[in-house]
Amino acid sequence: MNISKIRDAILIVTFLGVWLFMPPMLDVFNQRASLLGMPLIVVYVFGGWLALIGLTALLASRISDDSPEPGGRDGDLALGPDIKLPDRTPGG
Amino acid sequence: MLSANIVLTTAIGYVALLFLVAFVSDRRARGGKAGMATSPIIYTLSISVYCTSWTFYGAVGSAARNGLEFLTIYIGPTLVFVGWWFVLRKLVRIGRVHRISSIADLISSRYGKSTRLAVLVTVIAVIASTPYIALQLKAVTTSFEVVSNTGGDGLNITTGFWVAAGMAVFTILFGTRNIDANERHHGVVAAIAFEALVKLVALLAVGAFVVHGVAGGIDNIFSMPPAERVLSPDVVFGPRWITLTFLAGTAILCLPRQFQVTVVENADERHLRTASWLFPLYLFLMCLSVLPIAIAGLALLPEGSNPDMFVLTLPMAEGQHALALLAFIGGFSSATSMVIVACIALSIMVSNQIVMPIALRLPMLSRAVSGDVKKLLLVSRRISIVLILLMGYVYFVLSARSDALAAMGLIAFAGVAQFLPALIGGLYWRAATKGGAAAGLFAGFVVWTYTLVVPSFEGSGIITHTFVTDGPWGISMLRPEALFGIESTDPLVHSVFWSISLNLGLFVLVSLLQSQNTLDRLQGTLFVDVFRNPTRSESRFIRRSATIDDLYTMAQRILGAEEARRVFAEFAHRQGLADDMPRPDAAFIAHLERLLAGGVGAASARVMISQVATGETISMDELIKLVDETQQVIEYSQQLEAQSKELQSTMVALREANERLRQLDAQKDDFLSQVSHEVRTPMSSIRSFSEILMDGADLDSEQGRKFLGIIHDETIRLTRLLDEILDLSHLESGELSLRLEDVNAADVLIRSVDTCRGMATSAGVEISIGTSVAEAPIRADADRLSQVFINLMSNAIKYNTSENPSVTLSSRVDGGMFYAYVDDNGPGIRTEDRERIFTKFSRAWSAAQPNRTGAGLGLAISRAIARKLDGELELLPSTGRGEGRGGARFRLRLPLRPAVETDLGRDLSAAE
């Protein structure tokens, strides 16, 4: 998967999270029912939460260390050879 | 029962341990072995300073009172971290590139390095953090009293005072030991990370004990009577749920301490990638125990127990004093870590954004400052820490009787949420202005104070009850909790709605009305396009000059002598100078300003530089160029994409062409070897016969003549072959020009038949003319055309093996075309040979009849001629017509002369 696809996936997962944890969806699961010995809403919220974490971890692991920045790539083109990146920590 | 002394000793021992952790990792970091301190795990754990004692104690209390509502505080940040790529990554990048030292620094730096804006943000941050710090003091004090059983009626404010004093000492000792070139505190981060582990373990331990030790299983918990009430489906997930999630998500970005650990202390941008899922996981684990503890607490503890203290009281009620002590330490951890980081962050803001600018502006002080800026900064930070904690303590005393922990925390959240429009707008909206940010912030802050902070003092003696219920001077429109008569059931939702609406509205409105000044615009562009534009080219825009001595003196004051020398030498080296002093050009001044900004904030750094630098101009042209460049880069990359597509198709075409060339090359080789072969056969017979003639004196003359005849025939054959090859090559290369004239193709056909009759008779082949046209005016070279017919006929005669061999010629005119057909009743041509026969030296028939001779060029030449005349020579598919086996049917198609075509068509139709 290339970096811009991962970026899109991250956006989608974020919106998925908002959708999962906002009222209309929560009300769907806010019922007098239980699953695995726990109220349905509790299983839903914690389960959805864990799934969201898993997806994010999966996407984060797909980004390799030397992935080019989608924006940075453009920036590099704009740079002349005379411009050097300063060190964040002097000498460090 | 735990005695106060045991609890106190444990707490002090724990603090000593924290010191050790902080000290060791500070040491290691200074020794260059950052190692552990800069791992993504430590980074994530330090971010979990978000979980304060509000989480540790308050979440259970909140769950006991309001059910699942406590989750919003953790879901909001989870969503922000899940979407880390879009906001957090940009924040961290900007923080690193511009050496941002606090959120006030970020906002002021974005809006033209404005000092006034920095002061405003700092003031809001300090005021908003006060209830939050009070909350921690209250939690620690209460928990201490509960666990050591010293509580009388009401909180002992003396305990609270000592807690505050202790925290001030710890923070000063660790947070303000030195001024770094960038505001990083390895020791503190390590201690915070350690505390994060302690509080997690403590809360999980209590949770595990409650689930397994007390209730005996997770389903037992949820079958306790209070579970029904806590998790009642009648609870609606409404505006309050949305507001709290929004506030929590905002807080993770805007709280000064979160900004400190996430952005300022970030050592490597890649750490954010790990934190994006690890921090939500941490929050998830922290929340696991909350519901069981809340439900079990409600079920098992006596009516009226403080639900905020269930984490402590539940293990105590079960006689688990060691566990209670662990829980106390966990709560203590969460409170101390929050207070330490918050105080450090706030003190940096106060010293950099308020004290420094004042010191620089007052001429009297300014001279004093020239002595040692570092010392001034350190002292001001220490004093601010004490003051901030004092304010927290005062708030704690004033509100000691009121609110639950969560409510106090939420006031702080709503306060820092006022930064959001300016922060996000500054990151993504180039046109956002300083005035807009200031107006929005100020209005939001005022509304927040009036609608949320003021009512929280109700009944404490400062604010009267009637002020809140009836409004100031009895004006009900101005009731703090129901502005303009909006009777919202929830004061928090009400306050957030009004403050954020007003804030955002003014921010946008003023930004649109106001025009940006140059520095504002430059910073806006640099921030918004941080991933595209290199800040290091800042010197392109700001031109100024200063003497190197002035710069050096100033750098020494802030960075320290050694660091300043190193920085200067390094830059001189980069400029390619052998000397240790760089040229004080615009690039160096910009570099130095950024370095100083890491220590004193962007606004102060700018003021300091401008004290020694002269002739500052911001190049508007360059600025416009920058924006253009960004646009150009985008266009350029699109062009590149198009070009690469083009290249790809060119490559495909080239590959095809290459393939064709290769085939042609192979054909040429083939052709040469065929030619040599064809030439060799007659040559060798000529040679052998002439050899015989040369030495054979005994040959009789008749034999000799016969041999000479053979030689003669062979040379003729050879000549013909060479002629054909020449013809063909001329035809193919287009060098051969045909003598085009108006001819009647039908005549040519008849003439050709006559020519072939002799050959046909001798071969015993009958030539017949089928249906033919009499008139077919075309433009052609008659001789060449006749050559085609003769060739076709002679092939039909030569290779006809039928018992009654016959060749039929016919012609017709149709649709402006002249068609001539040559049919025979011979063996026909195998399907696989149908195209091959038109290539050079391919004698399809020869396989069957090797004795027959001929170079195999006839058809190739014929086709070349036909094409030269804009026509085509084809072998028609075998239709099985004619007698016996199908035989072969060749068709020559030639275009009629355009002018006559119509007349002819009329003639033909008239004839019919």
Side-chain angles (χ1 to χ4, degrees), chain B residues 60 64 206 210 214-215 221 224 226-227 229-230 289-315 317-318:
Chain B
V60 171
V206 175
V210 168
V214 179
I221 290 280
M224 286 174 171
R229 189 168 60 75
V230 168
S289 307
V290 171
L291 277 177
I293 298 174
I295 294 171
L298 285 173
L300 304 173
L301 294 174
E303 194 80 16
S305 312
N306 182 0
D308 279 339
M309 287 296 134
F310 280 171
V311 179
L312 284 180
T313 46
L314 210 52
E318 298 293 324

Side-chain angles (χ1 to χ4, degrees), chain B residues 886-909:
Chain B
R889 180 163 216 233
F890 284 92
R891 184 181 71 181
L892 175 70
R893 176 169 56 90
L894 292 171
L896 289 179
R897 246 180 24 241
V900 248
E901 177 197 328
T902 42
D903 299 350
L904 186 76
R906 208 166 337 115
D907 290 353
L908 279 176
S909 51

Side-chain angles (χ1 to χ4, degrees), chain B residues 404-449:
Chain B
L405 296 177
M408 291 167 74
L410 286 173
I411 294 178
F413 273 23
V416 293
Q418 305 308 324
F419 300 149
L420 192 72
L423 181 74
I424 298 295
L427 251 49
Y428 295 95
W429 186 27
R430 261 187 219 103
T433 66
K434 190 193 316 185
L441 273 170
F442 187 74
F445 170 64
V446 170
V447 174
W448 166 75
T449 312

